[in-house]
Amino acid sequence: MSIVTVQLGQCGNQIGFEVFDALLSDSHSSQGLCSKRENEAYQASCKERFFSEEENGVPIARAVLVDMEPKVINQTLSKAAQSGQWKYGQHACFCQKQGSGNNWAYGYSVHGPRHEESIMSLIRKEVEKCDSFSGFFIIMSMAGGTGSGLGAFVTQNLQDQYPNSLKMNHIIWPYGTGEVIVQNYNSILTLSHLYRSSDALLVHENDAVHKICAKLMNIKQISFSDINQVLAHQLGSVFQPTYSAESSFHYRRNPLGIDWHVRPPLSGLPPLGKMSLNKDLHFNTSVANLVILRGKDVQSADVEGFKDPALYTSWLKPVNAFNVWKTQRAFSKYEKSAVLVSNSQFLVKPLDTIVGKAWNMFASKAYIHQYTKFGIEEEDFLDSFTSLEQVVASYCNL
Amino acid sequence: MTQSVVVQVGQCGNQIGCCFWDLALREHAAVNQKGIYDEAISSFFRNVDTRVVGDGGSISKGKICSLKARAVLIDMEEGVVNEILQGPLRDVFDTKQLITDISGSGNNWAVGHKVFGSLYQDQILEKLRKSAEHCDCLQCFFIIHSMGGGTGSGLGTFLLKVLEDEFPEVYRFVTSIYPSGEDDVITSPYNSMLAMKELNEHADCVLPIDNQSLFDIISKIDLMVNSGKLGTTVKPNSLVTSSSGTLKKRHKKPFDAMNNIVANLLLNLTSSARFEGSLNMDLNEISMNLVPFPQLHYLVSSLTPLYTLTDVNIPPRRLDQMFSDAFSKDHQLLQADPKHSLYLACALMVRGNVQISDLRRNIERLKPSLQFVSWNQEGWKTSLCSVPPVGHSHSLLALANNTCVKPTFMELKERFMRLYKKKAHLHHYLQVEGVEKSCFTEAVSSLSALIQEYDQLDTTKNMPNLELRKYISRFSAVSLTYTRCNPQHLPFK
């Protein structure tokens, strides 16, 4: 079951590189306590999901790189090639000369339609290379212009052309304070559009990951590289194969099984020597939780705490809302590691904050002329506000 | 990657432009060790095979043959341009890129704008089109001029309308040198006022700079050097002094050093677009983030460090000091007080080995002392470019859209009114065909309207959100029927 990754914009491409790197180096790292046969199946499954094989044996990432200006893609391609372990496909990139200028409207209304053919055709080629295609993993930021605007456009297209495949968007939630001044506008426009076309939004907040780097990892001078590596590590521990009862190392579709759009925010844990649980969950009601355990003693691990009905909304039985996946194969040399993927009220506060700030700015009409220039009118903003308010309300009512 | 074209107009514009090209070449020479013509260089330079006659000489890849600046040089006197063409940079310019005349504009905006404007309109258009054709993807025109004279002010702003009509999609960034109080050109208030109207209407972004600030900066550097403080000495061949390589003694108006500061500003402004970094910032992102309303497009710049280490042997300062310096008046290129005025938006463009945590730490540190408009409390735009400027490990350029420009404009208006009331020298302008009193009155109302906008924003300082909404509805024609749900109802901790 293969996944095609679409990396959009500077953020998407920088992260994408780290993700593939993390996946492959875990795949090559020591097997821990699991058997040789299991390890081989693990490696084969990982490879099949994320890489295709070339004649000379260097795995090629199943990825399409999209950016509206060339600097980042060039860097990403060369970093991958330099590693010697894997690389990107030669013709897997789409690049233009001039960026989107942090303008969601430009990314969505100008770049999107203009380059729709080329981008979709690249994606199609990548999908066709898969023997058994499972879905898309789209990496994008919300704050800029390309990842956000073009990302929303591409996801919409994917929804139209591949309605039966999983589309999971990896969203980077910007720092609360300033990366981009219009980041709140870009964010609400992105989220409201993705709600209609994406199956799942996996969220990473820059602020949260930054704290992990500062407090848990004690990095003094934190760079975006550090942040991206932590992200990639968390994603890797979610995406690597796990043993399932039905068939070995089967990448599952979204196990939540709920028809309405759910957003599973990723509150991943940095893998520690011991198992640790995210106690914060007691404060945020969940719709669904997924725990993934890797390494030593996974069979005897006690996950009863996650079945506590207090964690879940009253109309869900924990047995329907909680899943646990296990594998004895260690992840990235950690003896034991655990990851929690959670769909809960976790993100309500950040979402509400962003909507509030965007509204504040919108009420003063600041920067609106930059969007109306490219066809995004005030009604579009109002629609976005309305749909996100509904999301907030839905989560609040859990 | 995109390209930019520099249009330097008038004596001041061309002198600054010349410094810019000198520094740009040095920067690229330092970064590009292999002599391969890459996309970074191509943003400002063409690669030309000089053996080929005519237009066919452009080479897009491979080794650098001969670099030609993407520039158009315009002056209505020959002195400055001729000097450039005989100086060390002569090979960087194409004679086809020049437009000169002999008589000059006589420090008269009307002559520059109306007379020379109509006389040279076709030539100007032709040269601009040519320079645009040489670009793969033209993103930006950088116009450099002064406001106080005749050519830079008049013809320079005439250009803006031409650019807007001919290349509506290409950004127009204007670097304008405003006259200082003791300017020796008597008519500079007239010229500046008339030019302001054009800047208001046809520029995307203006970086106002005044001579006084530049002079103060150079004086401080001189003082440090001459006092032998901290063992600082100016090295020969420095970028502070002229490119002729000799140590310059203290001058009354050390223009070269002042021009170099402005040239550095332009280099740093474009660094994140040309070079790689972990958080890139393209030129189109500047106006997107820093111009919340189309008329309010004046950005106060401050640069640090102001000298290069190759010039002055100063021990390198701590990283955090760099951020503090950028918010100190000593490093501003305009006499203004942003800390006591209202920020609409602020951009921090960092170069060198600086990471996101350094940036965030300093924003947190400096934020409490700065006042941001209520709808943009976190109005920071940041960029991290990995390539430091020549001779330094890091640098910072801060661009602020701040109501502190209001006093500058008010002073301009006052100086203008003093002259205008007496009708002094007015006949020089009125006798030019196409110029009437209405030109002046329109210019004054344009500037007054701009000042009023800043005024109204200033009154919102310290205003709580509720009142702000009522006040804001005066601006907007759209009645907002949408209401937000009360955030206090959220149940989480």
Side-chain angles (χ1 to χ4, degrees):
Chain A
M1 298 293 286
S2 308
I3 299 174
V4 169
T5 303
V6 184
Q7 315 180 170
L8 290 146
Q10 171 166 28
C11 178
N13 280 293
Q14 282 175 188
I15 290 179
F17 165 76
E18 299 290 354
V19 172
F20 284 108
D21 211 42
L23 289 170
L24 201 65
S25 54
D26 167 59
S27 165
H28 287 160
S29 69
S30 84
Q31 66 208 45
L33 293 170
C34 75
S35 69
K36 184 158 182 268
R37 196 181 62 91
E38 246 185 81
N39 189 38
E40 281 169 7
Y42 181 90
Q43 289 176 328
S45 178
C46 163
K47 279 249 178 72
E48 206 235 323
R49 274 186 200 185
F50 297 104
F51 297 90
S52 59
E53 201 82 5
E54 206 180 53
E55 302 89 52
N56 60 9
V58 177
I60 302 181
R62 296 190 191 278
V64 175
L65 295 78
V66 179
D67 201 357
M68 292 299 104
E69 65 101 15
K71 291 195 298 285
V72 181
I73 286 192
N74 288 341
Q75 256 200 312
T76 310
L77 289 175
S78 64
K79 274 208 285 192
Q82 263 168 28
S83 76
Q85 302 288 314
W86 64 280
K87 60 182 185 184
Y88 283 104
Q90 246 186 336
H91 303 288
C93 334
F94 180 79
C95 198
Q96 285 297 285
K97 302 188 187 114
Q98 180 167 256
S100 305
N102 286 168
N103 192 328
W104 192 93
Y106 201 76
Y108 186 83
S109 308
V110 177
H111 279 137
R114 204 181 274 175
H115 308 301
E116 186 178 343
E117 276 288 333
S118 316
I119 297 176
M120 294 312 289
S121 130
L122 273 183
I123 295 178
R124 196 171 308 124
K125 285 207 190 83
E126 208 52 55
V127 173
E128 280 163 13
K129 279 197 225 156
C130 303
D131 279 335
S132 139
F133 174 64
S134 159
F136 295 102
F137 183 57
I138 302 140
I139 314 180
M140 51 198 268
S141 73
M142 292 201 304
T146 298
S148 68
L150 184 60
F153 184 84
V154 168
T155 309
Q156 235 167 260
N157 266 40
L158 290 177
Q159 169 73 344
D160 293 333
Q161 295 192 22
Y162 302 89
N164 297 319
S165 306
L166 176 76
K167 286 160 291 297
M168 181 179 274
N169 290 68
H170 182 225
I171 313 275
I172 300 303
W173 205 270
Y175 284 103
T177 322
E179 289 170 31
V180 170
I181 292 178
V182 290
Q183 63 188 42
N184 299 313
Y185 281 166
N186 292 339
S187 300
I188 58 144
L189 288 165
T190 305
L191 287 172
S192 59
H193 278 79
L194 284 181
Y195 257 86
R196 298 178 227 148
S197 41
S198 171
D199 294 313
L201 303 178
L202 207 60
V203 175
H204 263 121
E205 293 173 77
N206 268 348
D207 276 307
V209 183
H210 191 106
K211 258 201 219 144
I212 291 176
C213 288
K215 307 247 161 84
L216 291 176
M217 297 174 75
N218 274 316
I219 303 178
K220 291 286 178 244
Q221 197 189 28
I222 302 170
S223 66
F224 272 118
S225 232
D226 297 316
I227 292 188
N228 293 342
Q229 278 168 8
V230 171
L231 274 177
H233 194 105
Q234 290 189 345
L235 287 175
S237 61
V238 173
F239 286 141
Q240 287 294 50
T242 54
Y243 193 75
S244 88
E246 301 91 64
S247 58
S248 301
F249 304 107
H250 174 78
Y251 177 73
R252 307 148 198 261
R253 264 200 74 110
N254 189 337
L256 306 174
I258 301 176
D259 218 348
W260 49 284
H261 293 294
V262 293
R263 290 194 300 129
L266 178 66
S267 57
L269 307 168
L272 305 170
K274 306 220 167 76
M275 208 92 80
S276 69
L277 302 174
N278 186 359
K279 294 240 170 12
D280 287 347
L281 222 59
H282 283 168
F283 300 115
N284 292 319
T285 312
S286 299
V287 171
N289 288 312
L290 168 66
V291 166
I292 303 176
L293 304 172
R294 299 175 189 276
K296 190 170 164 212
D297 299 337
V298 284
Q299 297 307 335
S300 52
D302 174 15
V303 294
E304 287 312 302
F306 286 100
K307 298 185 187 159
D308 185 347
L311 289 175
Y312 300 93
T313 180
S314 54
W315 43 266
L316 266 182
K317 292 209 202 85
V319 66
N320 294 327
F322 175 65
N323 269 288
V324 57
W325 296 350
K326 305 179 184 178
T327 176
Q328 278 194 319
R329 181 13 166 108
F331 177 71
S332 204
K333 301 184 207 146
Y334 285 95
E335 188 185 61
K336 296 181 190 175
S337 66
V339 158
L340 169 68
V341 184
S342 176
N343 185 344
S344 73
Q345 292 175 328
F346 188 98
L347 222 54
V348 171
K349 189 146 176 265
L351 181 58
D352 191 66
T353 308
I354 280 199
V355 174
K357 289 188 195 165
W359 173 249
N360 220 359
M361 199 182 263
F362 182 70
S364 72
K365 297 274 167 286
Y367 300 102
I368 299 294
H369 69 284
Q370 310 269 17
Y371 291 85
T372 52
K373 221 186 336 185
F374 299 110
I376 298 296
E377 303 299 328
E378 288 182 17
E379 289 80 57
D380 297 302
F381 280 91
L382 290 175
D383 286 342
S384 299
F385 284 121
T386 316
S387 69
L388 290 179
E389 289 286 7
Q390 282 171 358
V391 172
V392 171
S394 307
Y395 271 97
C396 287
N397 289 331
L398 284 179
Chain B
M1 202 178 290
T2 57
Q3 291 80 41
S4 300
V5 171
V6 174
V7 187
Q8 29 193 97
V9 192
Q11 173 178 9
C12 175
N14 277 291
Q15 283 174 336
I16 295 177
C18 188
C19 289
F20 169 76
W21 292 111
D22 181 42
L23 292 185
L25 278 170
R26 292 197 205 198
E27 180 168 86
H28 282 286
V31 174
N32 189 324
Q33 302 281 336
K34 297 187 191 150
I36 303 282
Y37 181 68
D38 61 13
E39 287 190 323
I41 293 194
S42 88
S43 59
F44 279 117
F45 294 95
R46 295 166 50 211
N47 191 18
V48 174
D49 185 347
T50 41
R51 294 165 299 177
V52 175
V53 174
D55 258 348
S58 284
I59 314 171
S60 53
K61 286 187 179 144
K63 277 208 106 57
I64 292 175
C65 194
S66 170
L67 290 176
K68 292 272 179 230
R70 297 188 191 278
V72 178
L73 290 72
I74 304 177
D75 201 359
M76 295 297 103
E77 284 174 330
E78 288 185 317
V80 176
V81 175
N82 279 344
E83 216 186 290
I84 296 177
L85 292 178
Q86 282 153 22
L89 290 180
R90 59 181 167 275
D91 291 327
V92 172
F93 299 107
D94 216 292
T95 43
K96 293 180 248 145
Q97 300 163 264
L98 317 170
I99 300 178
T100 53
D101 198 298
I102 339 173
S103 39
S105 303
N107 284 327
N108 186 331
W109 180 93
V111 172
H113 196 96
K114 304 279 185 188
V115 175
F116 286 126
S118 48
L119 195 58
Y120 286 103
Q121 177 161 13
D122 291 335
Q123 268 196 59
I124 291 175
L125 214 56
E126 190 215 314
K127 311 276 181 197
L128 291 173
R129 280 199 193 121
K130 240 306 113 71
S131 63
E133 271 163 37
H134 283 137
C135 296
D136 217 359
C137 180
L138 176 62
Q139 184 175 51
C140 195
F141 282 108
F142 283 101
I143 296 109
I144 314 178
H145 73 145
S146 72
M147 299 282 278
T151 301
S153 176
L155 191 53
T157 51
F158 172 80
L159 248 202
L160 281 179
K161 186 82 179 60
V162 172
L163 288 173
E164 190 179 35
D165 291 337
E166 188 69 16
F167 307 94
E169 317 256 297
V170 181
Y171 288 90
R172 296 171 292 285
F173 266 85
V174 190
T175 305
S176 306
I177 308 297
Y178 281 65
S180 49
E182 326 101 34
D183 198 82
D184 40 8
V185 176
I186 304 180
T187 49
S188 70
Y190 285 159
N191 298 329
S192 308
M193 175 66 79
L194 292 162
M196 271 299 287
K197 173 163 176 294
E198 307 299 314
L199 290 184
N200 281 340
E201 291 173 14
H202 306 300
D204 283 315
C205 222
V206 179
L207 300 164
I209 297 174
D210 60 38
N211 268 338
Q212 189 60 48
S213 299
L214 296 177
F215 183 63
D216 287 344
I217 289 171
I218 297 301
S219 308
K220 286 204 188 79
I221 296 177
D222 265 353
L223 207 64
M224 265 203 300
V225 166
N226 288 338
S227 72
K229 231 186 206 184
L230 305 173
T232 59
T233 49
V234 177
K235 300 184 197 165
N237 287 323
S238 77
L239 291 176
V240 172
T241 60
S242 79
S243 44
S244 64
T246 55
L247 261 173
K248 266 219 169 90
K249 295 254 171 28
R250 263 180 92 174
H251 277 190
K252 266 201 166 169
K253 293 267 182 196
F255 280 117
D256 242 4
M258 289 160 66
N259 294 338
N260 267 313
I261 297 176
V262 185
N264 265 314
L265 163 68
L266 289 173
L267 272 185
N268 283 334
L269 190 69
T270 54
S271 60
S272 188
R274 289 176 290 139
F275 301 118
E276 37 116 78
S278 62
L279 191 59
N280 295 336
M281 178 157 154
D282 214 341
L283 297 170
N284 50 8
E285 294 174 33
I286 296 179
S287 69
M288 177 67 188
N289 283 284
L290 295 174
V291 181
F293 302 100
Q295 328 82 298
L296 304 179
H297 55 244
Y298 294 86
L299 306 178
V300 179
S301 47
S302 60
L303 197 52
T304 166
L306 286 161
Y307 41 79
T308 63
L309 279 177
T310 51
D311 307 327
V312 190
N313 276 320
I314 282 192
R317 312 179 93 183
R318 265 175 46 234
L319 189 59
D320 285 14
Q321 185 62 47
M322 178 175 80
F323 284 89
S324 304
D325 284 346
F327 285 90
S328 107
K329 286 204 220 155
D330 289 346
H331 288 256
Q332 275 165 221
L333 304 191
L334 185 72
Q335 308 244 291
D337 192 2
K339 279 200 175 165
H340 294 112
S341 311
L342 199 60
Y343 275 90
L344 302 181
C346 186
L348 296 175
M349 305 181 68
V350 187
R351 297 180 69 168
N353 183 17
V354 183
Q355 302 301 344
I356 186 69
S357 56
D358 302 314
L359 200 50
R360 299 183 54 71
R361 179 180 68 246
N362 281 287
I363 290 179
E364 289 304 310
R365 191 170 59 85
L366 294 165
K367 223 170 35 158
S369 59
L370 307 171
Q371 280 200 70
F372 274 81
V373 73
S374 70
W375 42 259
N376 207 0
Q377 289 281 298
E378 278 96 20
W380 298 91
K381 164 70 179 161
T382 55
S383 79
L384 295 166
C385 173
S386 322
V387 177
V390 178
H392 278 281
S393 56
H394 35 71
S395 76
L396 172 62
L397 167 64
L399 294 174
N401 191 340
N402 188 309
T403 56
C404 68
V405 290
K406 194 179 66 174
T408 307
F409 296 151
M410 284 170 69
E411 244 183 75
L412 196 84
K413 188 175 166 195
E414 267 162 52
R415 265 187 253 135
F416 170 86
M417 294 311 286
R418 258 180 266 143
L419 266 187
Y420 191 64
K421 281 206 193 104
K422 295 184 279 182
K423 309 229 185 298
H425 303 279
L426 211 50
H427 58 283
H428 290 298
Y429 292 78
L430 296 174
Q431 73 195 14
V432 173
E433 192 185 316
V435 179
E436 287 150 25
K437 279 230 177 120
S438 58
C439 292
F440 288 89
T441 47
E442 276 166 21
V444 175
S445 13
S446 173
L447 185 58
S448 301
L450 183 66
I451 292 175
Q452 233 217 334
E453 296 253 7
Y454 283 112
D455 245 338
Q456 287 190 314
L457 281 164
D458 266 337
T459 57
T460 71
K461 251 196 287 183
N462 307 319
M463 211 192 255
N465 264 354
L466 223 53
E467 287 177 45
L468 190 57
R469 290 252 173 90
K470 276 191 266 166
Y471 156 77
I472 277 162
S473 63
R474 273 191 268 147
F475 269 138
S476 61
V478 175
S479 69
L480 302 167
T481 55
Y482 174 74
T483 53
R484 290 212 63 222
C485 74
N486 188 340
Q488 265 103 46
H489 289 160
L490 297 169
F492 51 76
K493 298 216 173 54

